[in-house]
Amino acid sequence: MALAGPKEVHGDGRFVLRRKDFVPAYLKAAEDGTLRRKAREAVALLGPPCRVCPRRCKEADRSKGAPGVCRVGRLAQVSSMGAHLGEEDVLRGWKGSGTVFFTGCSLRCAFCQNFDISQGGRGDEVDARELAGIMLRLARQGCHNVNFVTPSHVVPQIVEALVQAVEDGLSIPLVYNSGGYDSLESLAVMDGLVDVYMPDFKFWDEAACGRYLAAPDYPSAARRAAAEMHRQVGDLVVDEDGVALRGVLVRHLVMPGMADDTGQVMGWLAGLSKDIFVNIMDQYHPAGKVVNDSPHAAIGRCVSEGEMDAARAAAIKAGLWRFDERWRPDHVV
Ligand code: SF4
């Protein structure tokens, strides 16, 4: 497949917004007072029961520090942050995407490629002021955006910190980089605050989601979430340098032996929008609980080149055409 250069990413100009005409969504919300109201609404989602993600943990009383499945209580935890040069070209630009990796996760992916962070608890608690300070540091480093990685269980904490960050001068786009398991309540809070949504769409099959994610409701939740994200911000728009400003970018990690599942996901995405920007990822490798674990033996190998070709062909057959490919030379970064 030919590499997608800037022209293909831009779509002959249809998806380009001049940088000087762009204002991050949350600045408008801060100006009219919506941001502070949303912060209060978001904190109320902590429960009990917690309604921050689709699990709706009845026993969790996170306002008092008692977590549910995600194992994160009143304060968010951060495992690392920095200018990330491994993200998609539309996010990394040449100065990097300002990633904030949150500890914990509401999914329980057996194959998680960041298991020590998502389920191992590696990270430190941060309050709103500290999280705002992290965002500001990334902006001062020149990052093109603040990229919240695995934010679905810490939406209230992010919005509280955003109030402080705006007061301190934050003005770069926000990227919401989730596993796709997001509650409509949390997305309603994020409406008008997020510039770029980057959800995964992992699996179509409910049985696979029960087996590998401990969330059989994942496909329906991911469809609802992706549709809502797209309703809020539309298809991906970039600036004159090909750096994302607003819209949806969907990631799909191709899994071994699951070509039919990929075809279903691509077909659904094309139904949402043929112009949706998709990253079809090839980096799956057995990790987390999959290593030496017989219940997950079917995904105990990497993906073959033939499987990747079939996944891309399924996406093209569905009518999709805006794919993430490396086009920005590494020496520019
Ligand atoms: S965010 Fe955590 S505590 Fe809240 S519903 Fe989801 S998994 Fe449960």
Side-chain angles (χ1 to χ4, degrees):
M1 178 183 292
L3 289 181
K7 194 172 173 192
E8 284 73 18
V9 172
H10 297 173
D12 295 333
R14 275 196 293 149
F15 302 105
V16 178
L17 180 65
R18 286 182 300 182
R19 164 70 60 169
K20 72 179 183 57
D21 295 334
F22 171 76
V23 178
Y26 59 85
L27 288 183
K28 294 176 198 158
E31 220 175 273
D32 65 16
T34 311
L35 179 57
R36 280 189 181 276
R37 174 177 58 76
K38 281 179 175 280
R40 288 193 296 276
E41 289 170 5
V43 169
L45 295 179
L46 289 169
C50 179
R51 291 170 289 137
V52 176
C53 92
R55 287 210 188 263
R56 301 180 81 88
C57 294
K58 288 192 185 69
E59 75 284 4
D61 189 354
R62 297 179 66 196
S63 58
K64 296 197 171 64
V69 170
C70 62
R71 297 179 193 158
V72 171
R74 181 62 185 89
L75 295 182
Q77 296 170 38
V78 171
S79 69
S80 68
M81 75 293 286
H84 201 307
L85 298 172
E87 296 287 77
E88 286 81 350
D89 273 2
V90 289
L91 295 182
R92 71 173 181 158
W94 58 98
K95 292 179 176 171
S97 178
T99 47
V100 183
F101 283 83
F102 288 108
T103 303
C105 185
S106 49
L107 289 171
R108 301 279 98 188
C109 301
F111 56 89
C112 183
Q113 318 276 289
N114 292 316
F115 204 86
D116 57 330
I117 302 169
S118 65
Q119 297 176 53
R122 181 164 68 77
D124 298 310
E125 283 193 336
V126 290
D127 62 20
R129 189 168 288 275
E130 289 167 321
L131 184 51
I134 289 171
M135 296 183 212
L136 265 295
R137 263 203 310 283
L138 294 168
R140 278 197 291 269
Q141 280 176 34
C143 293
H144 296 283
N145 43 64
V146 175
N147 180 346
F148 297 119
V149 184
T150 317
S152 309
H153 59 301
V154 286
V155 163
Q157 292 85 345
I158 288 172
V159 182
E160 282 181 307
L162 189 56
V163 172
Q164 181 68 45
V166 172
E167 278 178 15
D168 294 343
L170 189 75
S171 63
I172 57 176
L174 294 186
V175 180
Y176 185 94
N177 176 351
S178 85
Y181 195 55
D182 295 285
S183 74
L184 291 181
E185 290 96 328
S186 281
L187 292 179
V189 167
M190 284 307 201
D191 190 4
L193 306 184
V194 169
D195 299 296
V196 177
Y197 280 109
M198 184 161 65
D200 292 337
F201 202 132
K202 296 173 187 290
F203 298 109
W204 187 262
D205 180 61
E206 287 180 5
C209 292
R211 193 159 57 247
Y212 299 135
L213 313 180
D217 64 331
Y218 177 86
S220 54
R223 285 192 294 270
R224 275 196 304 271
E228 171 59 16
M229 292 172 182
H230 190 263
R231 184 197 69 73
Q232 290 183 19
V233 296
D235 291 314
L236 194 73
V237 169
V238 298
D239 69 9
E240 302 89 329
D241 296 314
V243 177
L245 294 177
R246 180 163 295 138
V248 174
L249 188 172
V250 178
R251 283 176 166 175
H252 175 72
L253 183 64
V254 178
M255 299 292 289
M258 297 190 69
D260 288 351
D261 209 84
T262 292
Q264 298 266 30
V265 170
M266 295 303 147
W268 186 84
L269 289 175
L272 186 60
S273 168
K274 291 250 189 322
D275 295 326
I276 203 158
F277 195 96
V278 183
N279 183 1
I280 302 172
M281 302 191 296
D282 64 359
Q283 58 262 54
Y284 174 78
H285 61 273
K289 293 182 188 162
V290 173
V291 182
N292 297 326
D293 191 7
S294 58
H296 307 116
I299 56 169
R301 64 172 174 85
C302 293
V303 174
S304 69
E305 263 183 48
E307 286 174 318
M308 282 308 302
D309 288 344
R312 293 188 192 103
I316 291 168
K317 189 172 168 209
L320 298 170
W321 64 280
R322 295 182 78 202
F323 302 116
D324 174 68
E325 301 279 2
R326 279 276 184 253
W327 58 267
R328 201 183 290 279
D330 278 341
H331 69 265
V332 172
V333 174

